[in-house]
Amino acid sequence: MRLTIVAGLAAASLALAGCGGGNDGGDGADSGENGEGITVGIKFDQPGLGLKEGAEYHGFDVDVARYVAEKLGYSEDQITWVESVSAQRENMIENGQVDMIVATYSITDSRKERVSFAGPYLVAGQGLLVQDATADITGPETLDGKKLCSVAGSTPAERIKEEYAAGVQLQEAQGYSECVELLASGTVDAVTTDDSILAGFAAQEQYAGKLKLVGEPFSEENYGIGVKKDSEMCEKVNEALTSMIEDGSWETFLKDSLGEAYTPNPDQNPPTPGGNCS
Ligand code: GLU
């Protein structure tokens, strides 16, 4: 599979200018109905989903977060972005370090013991990223004796340990960008996580013709927005996500951020948000 990114970032900023509804600087003095801001956890190192570039934040999750924040009454300049690596997400929500997390965060029963989720707002599936020349890795059952990288505290790393542990040497990094660097340098044989994330990396110019996704997705990752357990905010976020899907923003955000690189399974997307607040 050869993937290219098409004017993704330029289009994303246009879309954001369009959805902010009053963030053109002209009405900056009126900073929304909420006196304080909102702190949002995102990924900083996942192209197409959550990426920090200098002082700018890009990606599908970032667009989703901006849309939801606006519906909750927060203008763009009231959002504080913080990095939430996979293993720290429940802690950060429980400690109050963030008000919500929009970071390729799968809704699972064990996480729901500690946090609540609005959503799902996207359904992805676990995949494998390998070097373009690799021919003997075609699915999770072909990983015997292979060096694999994934991220600590993620559902894909857990799945490998639980279901495919026997012959696999799993290295757990802090973030996926670290794994992809190890793959590009040949230190590991494959990277595993959601196909959405892997596609975002593969579409990077520096990896063109070098990395490829292989096989069929082998899990269902329902992305939710994590909030404090049983928080009142949860249903409001569900309403915002529902309107985001219904008014066409969902599709626009996806095209702007991931473009040709990734098309989510149309049988599962867009999903219907709700049912995970408690
Ligand atoms: N969606 C999976 C998870 O929540 C993998 C992606 C990630 O680590 O953010 O664990």
Side-chain angles (χ1 to χ4, degrees), residues 10-161:
S13 34
L14 283 178
L16 292 174
C19 89
N23 288 329
D24 55 2
D27 56 356
D30 167 26
S31 49
E33 47 210 76
N34 298 283
E36 291 171 28
I38 186 166
T39 303
V40 182
I42 54 167
K43 293 299 180 73
F44 277 9
D45 71 332
Q46 294 179 193
L49 287 153
L51 188 68
K52 181 178 195 292
E53 291 182 298
E56 308 263 303
Y57 301 90
H58 300 285
F60 179 70
D61 278 341
V62 175
D63 288 354
V64 169
R66 284 194 177 105
Y67 185 101
V68 168
E70 205 220 337
K71 289 281 179 197
L72 297 177
Y74 299 97
S75 62
E76 168 115 41
D77 58 5
Q78 288 180 299
I79 304 174
T80 303
W81 303 104
V82 277
E83 183 174 28
S84 52
V85 299
S86 298
Q88 287 306 322
R89 291 177 294 199
E90 291 84 40
N91 281 340
M92 292 179 79
I93 292 169
E94 284 179 328
N95 299 341
Q97 278 170 273
V98 291
D99 297 304
M100 63 181 190
I101 286 188
V102 192
T104 58
Y105 195 10
S106 296
I107 301 168
T108 69
D109 287 341
S110 68
R111 289 173 180 166
K112 275 167 76 170
E113 287 171 13
R114 297 175 62 187
V115 303
S116 290
F117 287 97
Y121 63 92
L122 187 79
V123 184
Q126 187 167 354
L128 289 164
L129 188 72
V130 297
Q131 287 201 1
D132 206 42
T134 299
D136 60 346
I137 297 177
T138 52
E141 63 293 336
T142 61
L143 293 169
D144 251 12
K146 302 292 184 195
K147 292 195 195 109
L148 189 62
C149 188
S150 194
V151 163
S154 72
T155 50
E158 288 310 305
R159 191 167 295 106
I160 291 295
K161 286 192 270 190

Side-chain angles (χ1 to χ4, degrees), residues 5-6 9 26 45 56 58 64 73 77 84 93 110 112 114 126 157 168 192 205 209 216 219 222 228 230 240 269:
I5 207 157
V6 185
L9 297 181
D45 71 332
E56 308 263 303
H58 300 285
V64 169
D77 58 5
S84 52
I93 292 169
S110 68
K112 275 167 76 170
R114 297 175 62 187
Q126 187 167 354
V168 184
T192 190
E205 218 168 293
E216 294 298 317
S219 75
N222 288 273
K228 252 211 176 109
D230 302 325
N269 287 282

